[in-house]
Amino acid sequence: MANSCIIMKFGGTSVGDAKAIERVVSIVRDRLPQNPVVVASAMARVTDQLLKIARVAGDGDRKTALTLARELRERHYNTAGELLGTALFTEFHSDLGTEFEELEELVRGISAVGELTPRSTDAVASYGEILSSKLLTAALSAHGIEATRVDSRDCIVTDENFTRAAPLFEETNSKLHELLRPLIEQGRVPVMGGFIGATRAGVTTTIGRGGSDFSASIIGAGLNADKIEIWTDVDGMMTTDPNLCPEAHRIKVISFDEAAELAYFGAKVLHPATVLPAVEKNIPVYILNSRNPSCEGTRIAARAPHSKNFFKAIAAKKRITIIDIVAPRMLLAHGFLKQIFEAFDRHRIPIDVVSTSEVSVSLTVDSNESIPALAADLSQIADVKYEGRKAIVCLVGENLREVPGIAAHVFGELTDVKIRMISQGASEINLTFVIDEEQVPSVVQRLHKTFFSELDAEVFA
Ligand code: ADP
Ligand code: ASP
Ligand code: MG
């Protein structure tokens, strides 16, 4: 039988500087008997900076774009210098230098044309993970771990939907087997960049912001891994964003369904698509803290134990726009919803929450620059209004299915808050509503206090 393996994905803060990368090296070393495959995000904030470089170059400001690119060069060289001995650094320096020359070439090309396409955006953004995976491979090797970098663009095959490309699983899986299996069998540690892939024709793509988690899951499912570990900067999935509510508690175990709802509605700790490939193969996913590796983290499993608490967690997603579509003439008209959804489809705008009445439909979308064009399009069939600076708050828990009166309990706590939309999800495990963005901290803190003051020790730490 082929050797089993585990996937270890390290997020941006876990590879953010030389100290963090050294911690990663020792975490990987501890797992060597389990045959780790390492997936790395770009160093913290690097993807943001690359996207800024791409934008500035697209505006034709070559000088600023190149200055920003040089800052990135410095940061990577400095980190490499701290991590590697002189001999290794000299070798690595020229490898990294070639990447930066290519990046600068690309930046010059974009500034000369003065136009940024999604395709060239991806080409620029991909450097974060190209560089971090090289850096991490060199650091592992410098510490005596036999690591081999595998270019994700040789394995992760995607469609051509640049900046949000979708993986083509069949082709990806066969490439993963072809390239990674031999390394695992030789006892080597493959290291790949997350977030990036390539089309069938070999053009670089990215799979959406925060997508390295998804990469880890694609790779894990493709290789039939025993588990997928998502290493980040918090102790696991918490009852709410610890930045918003420092009293948040760690959730010891959560179901795939609950984790997917939370991720989708704003729990940034996990990319929303991550659990899908893992669910299909029933591969457990763990969220772990690279600054506190002895903490057991959160296990995401097919089924979570029944909890005495109403909810597992509260998520909030800001920068939401509500679109209200009112069409009295269309009262009960057949095909009205179809026309609406087709308009969203034409503008490629995904919808989060929907609520309908006979004459109107309200929908929420992530705020973005395509909304005015969509509204103009929709105004041909109905009256359209839209309003930004909204937020979705989502309470998740398997208990919602069974316990009556939960909604009354939640909204009873929020009698002074203007609730714009309510939806109790089709999955029956989420209660979702929309409020003004600036009320998020107070609403989340109040709900957290009400529903998470006493915790079931089986499920929460
Ligand atoms: P990485 O760079 O490792 O991918 P992210 O920044 O994408 O890390 O995700 C980790 C962050 O997610 C945490 O620092 C935390 O602020 C945020 N977060 C939001 N909601 C939650 C939650 N429910 N549990 C844990 N972290 C959360
Ligand atoms: N580096 C990418 C981003 O910042 C992917 C990731 O970190 O998951 O979006
Ligand atoms: Mg992330």
Side-chain angles (χ1 to χ4, degrees), residues 9-12 40-43 45-48 51 125 128-129 194-195 208-214 271:
K9 176 263 171 176
F10 295 93
S41 283
M43 294 176 79
R45 301 178 308 280
V46 165
T47 308
D48 288 335
L51 292 173
E129 272 71 10
F195 184 52
R209 290 308 306 270
S212 294
D213 299 340
F214 189 28
H271 182 280

Side-chain angles (χ1 to χ4, degrees), residues 50 69 72 99-107 124 127:
L50 285 164
L72 279 187
E99 295 297 345
F100 278 107
E101 271 138 43
E102 279 177 28
L103 171 63
E104 286 169 17
E105 200 54 42
L106 188 60
V107 167
V124 174
Y127 278 90

Side-chain angles (χ1 to χ4, degrees), residues 50 85 93 143 147 193 216 219 289 314 357 380 408 457:
L50 285 164
H93 190 271
H143 287 79
I219 297 164
N289 189 350
I314 310 173
S357 77
Q380 293 175 16

Side-chain angles (χ1 to χ4, degrees), residues 394-428:
C394 173
L395 292 123
V396 169
E398 302 268 7
N399 278 354
L400 264 168
R401 283 206 180 98
E402 289 132 40
V403 188
I406 292 186
H409 198 159
V410 170
F411 295 117
E413 292 295 326
L414 305 176
T415 46
D416 57 329
V417 177
K418 189 170 158 206
I419 312 271
R420 280 295 311 266
M421 285 168 71
I422 300 177
S423 137
Q424 183 154 351
S427 67
E428 297 185 327

Side-chain angles (χ1 to χ4, degrees), residues 117-234:
T117 61
R119 178 175 164 152
S120 42
T121 305
D122 276 357
V124 174
S126 69
Y127 278 90
E129 272 71 10
I130 294 174
L131 295 163
S132 66
S133 57
K134 289 201 163 183
L135 197 53
L136 189 51
T137 311
L140 288 163
S141 307
H143 287 79
I145 296 173
E146 296 194 0
T148 304
R149 178 176 175 270
V150 175
D151 193 324
S152 304
R153 295 168 296 180
D154 295 336
C155 309
I156 310 291
V157 187
T158 72
D159 65 13
E160 294 178 354
N161 190 7
F162 294 102
T163 75
R164 255 190 266 164
L168 305 173
F169 284 99
E170 231 169 88
E171 284 149 270
T172 300
N173 291 350
S174 78
K175 297 217 169 187
L176 284 169
H177 274 272
E178 193 187 314
L179 288 168
L180 296 181
R181 276 279 157 222
L183 294 172
I184 297 168
E185 273 151 28
Q186 290 160 33
R188 299 193 68 86
V189 177
V191 181
M192 297 172 69
F195 184 52
I196 62 178
T199 64
R200 284 193 181 119
V203 182
T204 302
T205 53
T206 67
I207 60 173
R209 290 308 306 270
S212 294
D213 299 340
F214 189 28
S215 304
S217 176
I218 296 165
I219 297 164
L223 295 173
N224 266 315
D226 289 342
K227 62 175 169 169
I228 296 164
E229 296 181 341
I230 306 287
W231 290 86
T232 183
D233 62 349
V234 283

Side-chain angles (χ1 to χ4, degrees), residues 9-14 41 213 231-234 236-243 266-270 314:
K9 176 263 171 176
F10 295 93
T13 44
S14 300
S41 283
D213 299 340
W231 290 86
T232 183
D233 62 349
V234 283
M237 197 162 237
M238 315 290 278
T239 49
T240 192
D241 184 346
N243 283 330
K268 176 181 164 221
V269 65
L270 197 66
I314 310 173

